[in-house]
Amino acid sequence: CFKTITCIRSHSTLFQSIKESKMKLAIATTLIASAAAFAPASKAASKTALKAFESEIGAQPPLGFFDPLGMLADADQERFDRLRYVELKHGRIAQLAFLGQIVTRAGLHLPGS
C-alpha cells in the first residue's frame, strides 16, 4: 500500500467481508443443526431380547425389562438375583452416606477424634 488512505480502506473492506462470511457460516451452521435436531431418528432394533426377566419387579411398560448395558444378555436367574442384591446393598450404603453427611452438617458429631 503506497497511499495510506487507500490501504486503510482496502483493509477495512477485507475485514468487513471476513466478518460477513463468518456470520453467514454461523447462520448456516445453526440452521443445519436445528434441522438435524428435528429429523426423525431411525428406530434401531432392540439389542436385548430377554423375556426371562420380564416378570420381575420393576419391569414396567413401555420399557419392560431395562438392561441398557447388556449385563444380563446371557445370564441365568442366579446372576440376576446376585446383581439385584448388590444393587440394593449399594443403594442402602449410598443412603446411609447421604444421611451421615446431612447429620454432620447439622452439627451432630460422634464422640472421638
Side-chain angles (χ1 to χ4, degrees):
C1 294
F2 295 110
K3 298 179 182 177
T4 308
I5 296 175
T6 309
C7 187
I8 292 173
R9 284 184 187 162
S10 66
H11 284 315
S12 67
T13 306
L14 177 66
F15 291 136
Q16 180 89 15
S17 66
I18 290 173
K19 252 192 216 180
E20 288 175 5
S21 65
K22 282 185 180 180
M23 181 61 82
K24 288 178 184 176
L25 179 65
I27 290 172
T29 305
T30 305
L31 287 174
I32 291 170
S34 64
F38 294 104
S42 62
K43 191 170 185 177
S46 176
K47 290 183 180 180
T48 57
L50 296 174
K51 299 294 181 191
F53 305 119
E54 285 292 329
S55 63
E56 294 292 334
I57 296 173
Q60 300 175 359
L63 294 177
F65 177 69
F66 187 64
D67 184 24
L69 299 178
M71 295 179 72
L72 295 171
D74 56 349
D76 56 351
Q77 187 66 37
E78 183 180 341
R79 171 109 171 114
F80 178 82
D81 292 339
R82 168 75 179 142
L83 287 176
R84 176 162 281 182
Y85 167 76
V86 170
E87 182 180 7
L88 287 173
K89 183 175 91 171
H90 290 157
R92 290 174 181 154
I93 290 170
Q95 289 173 2
L96 283 173
F98 179 75
L99 184 62
Q101 179 77 354
I102 296 298
V103 168
T104 302
R105 286 184 184 231
L108 182 67
H109 299 282
L110 296 175
S113 54

